Amino acid sequence: MAEGPDPVIADLEQEVTCGICHDRYQEPKLLPCCHYYCKQCILTLSSRYPPNQPFPCPDCREPTLLPDNNPDRLPTAFFINRMKALYSRMEKAHGKLEATCEMCSGGKATAFCRQCVNFICEDCVKSHKRLRVFAGHAISTLDELKQGGVKELTFESPPPPKCEDHEELKKIFCFDCNKLICRDCIVIEHAGHNYEFVKKAAPATRKKLTEHLSPLKNLLPDLSTAVNQVKGTKQKIQAQKELTERQVNAKFQELHDILDRCKVRVLRESSALADSKMEKLTIQEKGLDLSLGTAQSLIDFVERTLENASDEELITMQEQVVSRIDAEVVKRGKEAANPDPVEKDDFGIEVFVCEDLKKLCENNVIVCEGKPIVKGDGIKTAEVDKCASLNVYISSKQGKPQAVLKSLVDQSTQQLQAVSLMGGVYSVEYTPRVRGRHHLLISVDDQPIPGSPFSVFVKIPPTKLDKPVKQIKGINIPVYMAFNSSEELIVTDFLGDVLVFDKKGEQIQSISKSKHGFDGICGVAVDKEDNIYVCDSIKRCVYKFNKRGDLLKRFGTKGSGPKELNFPRGIAVAGDQVFVCYQNNHRVQVLTTELEPVKQIGSIGTGNEHFNEPEDVAVDNEQMVYVTDCSNDRVQVLTMDGRFIRSIGKKGNGQGDLYGPRGVCVTGFVYVADYRVSVFTKDGQFVTSFGNGHITSPRGVAVDSDGFVYVRSEGSVVIF
């Protein structure tokens, strides 16, 4: 019988094998987490990560930062080197490696001296027995080593290392510097430090390590229990998974059987219906074949008579033949025109039922973790006066869901009903009456379900923007407006101040004309940091203020050069770029947010990328630029670099026409103000118009996050 591997050697082999390269340790280094690997393996592993960035220990995943990206700075795992030496001796003792004498010329070793810690040859064995210097040395043969195992091969600790500076043995440990030192080091580099001889300090160190190890050992039972608990939970989940798979298979098999029976019934009924029709049609077909034969026979008879009968015979039978022909035409004509129709609906009823069942399965067969789940568009968006829906999936052990819809605009609430569709599945429908932000609160057994309250945005279609809902009055000559991140409305008063209003329409701030010398302010825009940009058309400049109204910068003077403006009107900010419409220069100037000129777009003309008194500008979330080309009666859509995409509107007063458009605002739709507000899709399709009769000389247009449209009118801002 073959001898199996020695378990001691196998254990030692595992101890001296690097976990990264799976080879014998070469210059083993100790990581801060107390795991050790070859120096080169550590260097290779750390090189996969950016310099000065920690890398995970392969064993415990603890982040490790390599000092100065140099593994030599890590402590040496000296005990691993001793284990390697021990493993090498074990291999020699067991004959896996050839043992040579380590005391003489290297002849074949036959024994091992425990005091010399060397393999020795037969001659050296004799010397050990003969010479007094070797008296008392214990010598074991290789067979004895093999039988005695590791205990026979253990050896004393190596001598202390020598000091690199003084060639003395390092027998002292400096606690202040945490390093081994020699006697000379005490006098020079470590004078006054706290130190002790290693042999004296070692017992206390061993005791300290043992004491620190004790709490960790005490944790082992708890960790073992935790591991077992996790394993137990995994087993339970696995068992639940298998049970669920069986239940799902059983349920779907049941549905499959039901569908099979339904299929057989539908096929049987449809077949019977078809057979009934076929029977009727077969009878009709035979009757029509007979009629066809009769008609053809009469035709043949008359044609032969016309060909062969004499005049006397023909006149004699004329009345009979004509009467027969007329009768056949009437009778056979009705038969040909009114065959029995096959009703398509007779075959479609069951198909519609199957489609409903398919839809039900696709939308309502879900997997959950025992917690209620909500699905459906109704938890995100809805539309005024339009039914929205969602489904709530709960455990069969839980009660019926409760749902409330609360408007954050007027604080109105709706109590919603949950209708059971099947076991654990409830449908909730609601029809919001107020646009804007809502909270949808859903609870089960008086506990809110995960995600509740859901934030629902209720939008209003532009076609319902027919009447104003509010006005902000007391503004002398309002021109343009914009919203900041706090939903505060910023309005320019042409001969006055820059005004700031809260959501209730109350003025909360102003940027004073008297302080900054405004003289005809028009366009206003806000960047992502809530800085405010204002165009002054009379002074031909652009101002930049912070949110508090402090002036940060001013740009421009009158003229047509790169840093000159001529009647700036509308303004928009997109990212780090500012777009300004210069009405009398017939172009759009692009600036940085620091008001440094970048480029100019367009020139006077009627073609694409040409303008005639551009009035306002807006940029959408797709980085498209919309410019109201006032005297060309259109809105031009451009890329950020000024390339023409499309034109919206044409001159006229009809629906979809524009007549001197002034203001523009872009959300999901394009809102354009001329003498009314016209609404277009982004690709230029007309949707609706509103405001005619409710607003005078509209110009600026803005839309808040609740979908309310703010339009400039004389002396006020009108809200739709």
Side-chain angles (χ1 to χ4, degrees):
M1 182 175 179
E3 186 178 349
D6 190 293
V8 176
I9 292 184
D11 290 342
L12 273 176
E13 183 178 20
Q14 186 174 0
E15 289 288 341
V16 299
T17 301
C18 175
I20 296 179
C21 64
H22 303 292
D23 205 346
R24 299 289 181 272
Y25 282 108
Q26 300 295 326
E27 298 184 81
K29 292 292 182 176
L30 188 66
L31 298 182
C33 60
C34 294
H35 290 111
Y36 37 87
Y37 307 95
C38 302
K39 183 178 80 171
Q40 185 59 44
C41 291
I42 293 174
L43 186 61
T44 301
L45 179 62
S46 66
S47 67
R48 299 173 186 169
Y49 297 84
N52 300 318
Q53 293 293 321
F55 61 90
C57 168
D59 272 320
C60 64
R61 314 307 296 172
E62 185 75 17
T64 301
L65 187 61
L66 193 60
D68 299 327
N69 292 320
N70 184 4
D72 287 327
R73 298 286 302 277
L74 295 172
T76 299
F78 56 87
F79 54 92
I80 294 299
N81 288 329
R82 296 182 62 198
M83 294 289 284
K84 284 175 61 181
L86 181 59
Y87 178 69
S88 177
R89 296 186 186 283
M90 286 292 294
E91 286 189 308
K92 291 177 181 179
H94 284 254
K96 290 193 172 185
L97 289 179
E98 183 180 0
T100 57
C101 182
E102 297 171 336
M103 293 191 68
C104 64
S105 59
K108 184 176 182 181
T110 60
F112 180 78
C113 177
R114 293 186 61 190
Q115 277 67 40
C116 296
V117 198
N118 283 323
F119 285 94
I120 56 178
C121 64
E122 191 61 35
D123 290 339
C124 291
V125 171
K126 293 176 181 179
S127 298
H128 269 63
K129 293 179 179 180
R130 184 175 66 252
L131 298 176
R132 184 176 297 176
V133 70
F134 298 119
H137 282 209
I139 297 174
S140 302
T141 65
L142 295 186
D143 288 338
E144 289 172 341
L145 286 178
K146 187 174 181 180
Q147 294 173 4
V150 175
K151 291 181 179 179
E152 294 293 332
L153 290 170
T154 54
F155 45 87
E156 296 179 358
S157 299
K162 283 187 177 183
C163 178
E164 297 84 357
D165 298 325
H166 309 114
E167 293 297 321
E168 295 286 336
L169 294 179
K170 294 181 178 180
K171 295 183 177 181
I172 302 168
F173 184 77
C174 178
F175 292 99
D176 293 344
C177 301
N178 194 36
K179 63 185 294 188
L180 291 170
I181 60 176
C182 71
R183 288 178 181 270
D184 292 347
C185 292
I186 297 174
V187 180
I188 305 173
E189 295 93 342
H190 299 268
H193 288 195
N194 180 26
Y195 56 86
E196 184 62 87
F197 282 97
V198 170
K199 286 195 174 183
K200 188 174 180 180
T205 302
R206 293 181 187 277
K207 182 180 178 181
K208 181 180 179 181
L209 288 175
T210 302
E211 290 174 350
H212 276 73
L213 197 60
S214 180
L216 187 60
K217 286 184 176 180
N218 293 336
L219 281 176
L220 290 180
D222 293 339
L223 290 172
S224 179
T225 300
V227 170
N228 291 332
Q229 287 177 344
V230 171
K231 287 181 178 179
T233 303
K234 286 178 63 180
Q235 291 173 353
K236 289 180 181 179
I237 292 176
Q238 181 63 31
Q240 182 62 44
K241 173 187 172 184
E242 294 172 357
L243 174 61
T244 302
E245 287 177 351
R246 292 194 296 271
Q247 291 175 337
V248 168
N249 288 331
K251 284 290 183 183
F252 276 86
Q253 185 59 50
E254 182 181 351
L255 290 173
H256 189 275
D257 294 342
I258 292 172
L259 289 173
D260 275 346
R261 292 195 296 272
C262 181
K263 181 179 75 172
V264 171
R265 176 178 61 80
V266 171
L267 290 175
R268 183 177 63 250
E269 292 177 358
S270 63
S271 178
L273 181 61
D275 290 345
S276 173
K277 284 291 184 181
M278 290 291 287
E279 183 178 355
K280 293 179 182 179
L281 291 173
T282 299
I283 295 172
Q284 187 179 26
E285 181 184 16
K286 292 180 179 178
L288 288 171
D289 281 341
L290 179 60
S291 298
L292 179 62
T294 302
Q296 186 63 51
S297 176
L298 181 58
I299 292 170
D300 293 342
F301 169 76
V302 173
E303 288 178 344
R304 287 197 301 272
T305 300
L306 290 172
E307 183 179 349
N308 299 312
S310 63
D311 293 341
E312 293 79 8
E313 292 172 334
L314 191 62
I315 292 173
T316 303
M317 64 176 64
Q318 169 188 347
E319 184 176 348
Q320 178 183 355
V321 173
V322 169
S323 175
R324 179 60 177 170
I325 290 174
D326 290 344
E328 283 297 316
V329 168
V330 173
K331 182 177 180 181
R332 306 310 173 190
K334 290 181 179 180
E335 291 177 350
N338 297 292
D340 191 13
V342 177
E343 298 293 341
K344 293 182 180 180
D345 288 345
D346 290 344
F347 295 100
I349 297 174
E350 299 296 341
V351 174
F352 289 124
V353 173
C354 291
E355 289 295 329
D356 290 341
L357 181 60
K358 177 182 176 183
K359 182 178 179 181
L360 185 66
C361 289
E362 287 177 343
N363 293 337
N364 293 296
V365 179
I366 66 168
V367 178
C368 62
E369 300 180 37
K371 298 179 181 179
I373 292 179
V374 181
K375 297 280 188 179
D377 292 337
I379 61 173
K380 295 180 181 178
T381 59
E383 189 174 301
V384 171
D385 296 332
K386 188 174 180 179
C387 182
S389 64
L390 56 103
N391 286 347
V392 183
Y393 304 84
I394 62 175
S395 168
S396 57
K397 299 178 182 179
Q398 294 176 308
K400 186 177 181 180
Q402 304 294 322
V404 177
L405 183 68
K406 181 179 180 179
S407 168
L408 302 184
V409 177
D410 65 1
Q411 304 303 311
S412 60
T413 61
Q414 292 184 48
Q415 297 290 333
L416 311 181
Q417 294 296 320
V419 179
S420 177
L421 298 179
M422 61 179 72
V425 182
Y426 290 83
S427 173
V428 177
E429 295 184 346
Y430 63 92
T431 303
R433 305 301 180 192
V434 180
R435 63 177 139 168
R437 295 289 168 184
H438 288 64
H439 274 171
L440 178 60
L441 301 94
I442 304 177
S443 60
V444 178
D445 296 333
D446 297 326
Q447 295 295 320
I449 69 172
S452 178
F454 298 93
S455 180
V456 181
F457 178 68
V458 178
K459 55 189 176 182
I460 184 170
T463 52
K464 293 187 177 181
L465 295 171
D466 50 352
K467 295 180 181 179
V469 296
K470 191 176 180 180
Q471 274 186 290
I472 300 176
K473 298 182 179 180
I475 308 172
N476 187 22
I477 307 177
V479 190
Y480 288 101
M481 63 201 79
F483 286 99
N484 62 21
S485 61
S486 300
E487 287 286 290
E488 295 165 347
L489 180 68
I490 304 170
V491 182
T492 52
D493 186 344
F494 187 71
L495 296 178
D497 303 335
V498 179
L499 307 174
V500 184
F501 299 87
D502 62 16
K503 290 282 285 184
K504 297 179 181 179
E506 302 291 335
Q507 182 180 331
I508 58 174
Q509 184 185 350
S510 67
I511 303 176
S512 171
K513 170 183 178 179
S514 60
K515 180 177 180 180
H516 299 287
F518 301 145
D519 190 12
I521 52 176
C522 293
V524 61
V526 181
D527 66 17
K528 59 185 177 182
E529 295 177 354
D530 280 344
N531 295 313
I532 303 169
Y533 300 77
V534 179
C535 290
D536 192 321
S537 59
I538 305 299
K539 289 198 170 181
R540 272 72 167 180
C541 67
V542 176
Y543 300 95
K544 179 181 179 180
F545 301 92
N546 62 22
K547 186 177 181 179
R548 296 186 303 273
D550 302 322
L551 180 63
L552 301 178
K553 196 166 185 179
R554 171 176 167 168
F555 168 81
T557 57
K558 183 178 180 180
S560 58
K563 292 189 177 183
E564 296 175 329
L565 315 177
N566 197 350
F567 216 67
R569 301 291 286 178
I571 187 170
V573 181
D576 59 356
Q577 291 188 313
V578 181
F579 296 82
V580 185
C581 286
Y582 299 163
Q583 190 178 49
N584 289 359
N585 285 347
H586 310 286
R587 70 184 185 217
V588 175
Q589 175 72 54
V590 184
L591 310 170
T592 67
T593 49
E594 295 303 316
L595 301 187
E596 294 296 331
V598 177
K599 60 187 172 186
Q600 298 174 355
I601 298 175
S603 59
I604 189 169
T606 58
N608 298 336
E609 301 174 19
H610 293 278
F611 305 107
N612 192 349
E613 297 186 330
E615 179 79 18
D616 195 14
V617 59
V619 183
D620 69 10
N621 57 5
E622 297 173 345
Q623 303 295 292
M624 292 290 109
V625 182
Y626 297 73
V627 181
T628 52
D629 193 358
C630 182
S631 294
N632 284 330
D633 302 297
R634 64 185 177 182
V635 174
Q636 287 199 61
V637 185
L638 312 169
T639 62
M640 294 280 281
D641 59 2
R643 181 169 52 85
F644 177 81
I645 299 297
R646 70 179 67 88
S647 180
I648 296 176
K650 60 179 178 29
K651 185 175 183 178
N653 294 308
Q655 295 286 48
D657 295 336
L658 297 176
Y659 192 81
R662 302 284 185 175
V664 62
C665 176
V666 186
T667 57
F669 295 93
V670 182
Y671 298 82
V672 185
D674 47 13
Y675 62 92
R676 58 191 172 184
V677 178
S678 296
V679 185
F680 300 86
T681 63
K682 287 186 178 182
D683 60 3
Q685 299 298 313
F686 175 73
V687 177
T688 188
S689 64
F690 63 91
N692 199 5
H694 298 289
I695 49 179
T696 305
S697 301
R699 181 159 291 174
V701 184
V703 181
D704 68 14
S705 63
D706 290 321
F708 290 92
V709 183
Y710 294 66
V711 185
R712 180 268 186 201
S713 186
E714 287 190 358
S716 68
V717 173
V718 182
I719 306 173
F720 290 85

